[in-house]
Amino acid sequence: MRFSQYHFVDEIKHNLEKMGFKKPTDIQYKCIPNILKGEDLLAIAQTGTGKTAAFAIPVIHILHSKINPKRQTGIRCIVMVPTRELAIQINEVFTTLAKNTRVSSMSVFGGVEQDPQIAKLAKGVDILIATPGRLFDLVSQGHIQLHRAEILILDEADHMLDLGFIKDIRDLIRFLSKKRQTLFFSATIDEKIKDLAYSLVKNPIRIQVSPKDPVSKNVDHSVVFVDMDDKRFFLERMVKENPESKILVFVRTKVRCERVQAAMQRVGIDAVFMHGGKDQKDRLDVLNQFRSGKVKMLIATDVSARGIDIPDVDFVVNYDLPEHPENYVHRVGRTGRGMKKGMAYSFCDEAEQPLLKAIENYIGKQVKVLELTNEGYQEITTLSDAKNLRMEDIIDALSPEPNKRYGVKKAEAQKVDIVK
Ligand code: ADP
Ligand code: MG
């Protein structure tokens, strides 16, 4: 079935055409009729399968079609998301899909001034895409009226329910219209979270696409066994073999973001990094530099693992394995989005083997291992441009953070470097 055959208002169809969306994806095909009917929904589908439009299209259609002779104040739909970047991205999808309709949307998130958001809210808006902290602030200060809100959407629902916001969400629900519709969307879900979701709604319809393997089928993912101290050589090699490729590198901590960037800089590779400690403007600048391709490597913590849609990321690298196995699914899901294919590599040090096991348990299968011969491994480490650097510089760039190195002592780690 094509979008042109749906009974959407013409403006939405026109906008879909302009976006190049001809046919619904599986999750869109299954969700749209149920959302139009007013059902509550728990929708699970792999990363990059178009979950945003799966809720945005029918919601815009519903809000546009309902008679609204005089716009009263009050939000009609709330979309809750875990990060600011995601709030902006999802608002862009709503804005594009709702162009020339009677439906307006905006995003609110913390880390920036409240006043401009309050001023915009005062003009009246139908759909609000929000991170929890700022949303609760604005509601408690009386800047947001919720009594007309008839649709509540939790994107990245498992994460939203897991973040400790459940009490706030329950409180929020009490302000919403009694006849509200609730929609949960995510690529991952577990039993505990499912129970929490079901405690918020009566009889949601459960829609699950490809339940067995949560990793997107567009992502070819594998693991390479690499010593912690050699990981930078492998990353360097990847970049030098694929100079035109966009590479998203995930590390465990903020400090490691900066360290890996410094190590790359030393071998002439330009990279930017992003983590929760950066201010909002910096985070957006960095993301835009990477999005536009101005810089081809972004090094990030898990703050960027969820939801972010950069359509042409060629490789995801788990420079450090994720500590929460579901984040493996979200991280590798930053590539292979929409119709595109993508590759993901995990660099696994011996000390990270338990994390790999946990991931394999979670996804229900083994991750393909890329075997390297000793000579191959040696070649990657000895051909590095870093070999021309002074040893002190390298040690400075790589000395692990105190007490964070899976039990390997700092002195030992440095010794390894010096030997090389
Ligand atoms: P998810 O939330 O499932 O991870 P997104 O909603 O971010 O995925 O969408 C992933 C990508 O797929 C986006 O770049 C989006 O523009 C594209 N996309 C979504 N729906 C369609 C469609 N029906 N046809 C073509 N591309 C689509
Ligand atoms: Mg999404």
Side-chain angles (χ1 to χ4, degrees):
M1 190 162 173
R2 303 176 74 80
F3 279 126
S4 53
Q5 294 164 274
Y6 280 79
H7 296 291
F8 298 136
V9 291
D10 288 344
E11 288 81 355
I12 297 179
K13 283 192 184 178
H14 181 71
N15 295 333
L16 282 165
E17 217 175 284
K18 282 220 300 220
M19 291 166 85
F21 290 14
K22 296 190 174 67
K23 284 195 311 198
T25 62
D26 278 0
I27 191 73
Q28 291 164 0
Y29 179 75
K30 289 184 175 155
C31 287
I32 289 171
N34 288 297
I35 298 177
L36 291 176
K37 271 192 256 162
E39 306 278 9
D40 291 335
L41 219 64
L42 175 62
I44 313 297
Q46 294 169 330
T47 54
T49 54
K51 291 188 286 296
T52 318
F55 56 77
I57 297 169
V59 163
I60 296 167
H61 178 84
I62 292 169
L63 298 187
H64 179 89
S65 312
K66 279 198 182 165
I67 313 144
N68 181 19
K70 254 196 278 158
R71 186 190 287 278
Q72 304 161 15
T73 49
I75 312 290
R76 298 164 71 195
C77 168
I78 290 190
V79 186
M80 290 180 72
V81 296
T83 62
R84 309 146 193 194
E85 288 75 17
L86 208 45
I88 293 170
Q89 178 184 304
I90 290 181
N91 186 39
E92 270 165 17
V93 176
F94 270 104
T95 310
T96 315
L97 278 168
K99 199 162 172 230
N100 298 324
T101 67
R102 281 179 283 185
V103 179
S104 62
S105 69
M106 74 173 273
S107 57
V108 297
F109 43 84
V112 294
E113 277 185 49
Q114 244 186 218
D115 290 349
Q117 295 177 349
I118 294 170
K120 202 164 169 202
L121 279 166
K123 289 188 194 146
V125 62
D126 300 300
I127 300 166
L128 189 67
I129 299 102
T131 55
R134 181 57 58 94
L135 176 66
F136 299 138
D137 284 351
L138 292 171
V139 170
S140 64
Q141 293 165 24
H143 296 296
I144 295 177
Q145 274 74 48
L146 292 175
H147 58 281
R148 289 184 72 227
E150 52 202 286
I151 305 173
L152 172 67
I153 302 170
L154 266 65
D155 193 27
E156 305 295 341
D158 57 330
H159 193 46
M160 299 301 297
L161 293 172
D162 206 22
L163 281 176
F165 290 124
I166 185 70
K167 187 185 166 297
D168 292 325
I169 293 172
R170 282 216 171 89
D171 287 347
L172 186 85
I173 283 176
R174 282 193 278 122
F175 289 109
L176 302 180
S177 158
K178 291 274 172 299
K179 288 178 295 186
R180 74 165 201 281
Q181 181 176 15
T182 311
L183 312 173
F184 302 97
F185 278 82
S186 188
T188 52
I189 195 98
D190 62 29
E191 285 303 306
K192 186 185 119 220
I193 298 297
K194 199 190 76 196
D195 290 346
L196 270 181
Y198 278 51
S199 76
L200 297 174
V201 290
K202 280 200 202 80
N203 279 315
I205 294 185
R206 181 171 172 150
I207 295 178
Q208 192 154 357
V209 178
S210 315
K212 288 236 171 62
D213 184 356
V215 177
S216 163
K217 61 181 185 318
N218 289 351
V219 181
D220 179 356
H221 60 117
S222 43
V223 59
V224 202
F225 294 107
V226 187
D227 278 353
M228 185 59 91
D229 299 313
D230 292 335
K231 288 183 176 185
R232 66 207 151 109
F233 300 131
F234 280 71
L235 188 58
E236 176 190 350
R237 177 65 168 253
M238 260 188 81
V239 175
K240 294 195 168 154
E241 279 183 3
N242 305 280
E244 294 309 314
S245 298
K246 255 189 192 176
I247 305 181
L248 177 53
V249 181
F250 283 104
V251 295
R252 228 167 358 100
T253 63
K254 297 173 192 172
V255 177
R256 284 188 57 79
C257 271
E258 296 171 23
R259 293 247 166 101
V260 175
Q261 187 208 32
M264 289 301 108
Q265 232 158 28
R266 279 162 215 269
V267 293
I269 294 168
D270 211 12
V272 285
F273 63 84
M274 182 164 136
H275 53 60
K278 279 202 154 195
D279 77 32
Q280 184 52 36
K281 192 180 164 307
D282 262 10
R283 276 167 64 162
L284 289 178
D285 281 354
V286 158
L287 203 60
N288 285 337
Q289 282 179 47
F290 184 60
R291 201 181 282 276
S292 70
K294 205 170 140 212
V295 180
K296 296 211 150 47
M297 182 187 287
L298 172 64
I299 304 161
T301 57
D302 278 322
V303 71
S304 318
R306 291 230 178 206
I308 299 297
D309 183 49
I310 301 175
D312 46 359
V313 172
D314 302 288
F315 297 99
V316 166
V317 175
N318 286 316
Y319 195 90
D320 298 321
L321 264 60
E323 287 177 344
H324 300 288
E326 73 273 15
N327 277 354
Y328 181 83
V329 173
H330 294 283
R331 285 175 173 196
V332 303
R334 293 318 100 207
T335 184
R337 304 192 59 79
M339 310 294 156
K340 301 243 172 77
K341 300 273 179 223
M343 306 267 273
Y345 295 109
S346 297
F347 294 172
C348 182
D349 178 67
E350 209 180 329
E352 291 173 296
Q353 297 260 8
L355 298 177
L356 179 63
K357 283 277 157 308
I359 291 163
E360 293 181 330
N361 265 341
Y362 184 82
I363 63 175
K365 65 180 194 192
Q366 291 193 317
V367 179
K368 188 170 64 187
V369 177
L370 289 186
E371 302 278 3
L372 277 178
T373 57
N374 277 345
E375 295 78 55
Y377 193 109
Q378 290 298 329
E379 193 194 304
I380 290 175
T381 53
T382 49
L383 282 184
S384 165
D385 285 349
K387 293 292 163 187
N388 306 325
L389 289 172
R390 284 163 52 237
M391 195 51 80
E392 300 91 274
D393 289 341
I394 297 175
I395 291 166
D396 176 48
L398 295 170
S399 48
E401 296 155 58
N403 309 325
K404 284 234 171 136
R405 209 176 167 277
Y406 297 110
V408 181
K409 287 194 206 91
K410 190 170 176 173
E412 279 172 29
Q414 287 192 353
K415 206 166 63 204
V416 176
D417 281 332
I418 296 162
V419 172
K420 269 192 250 127

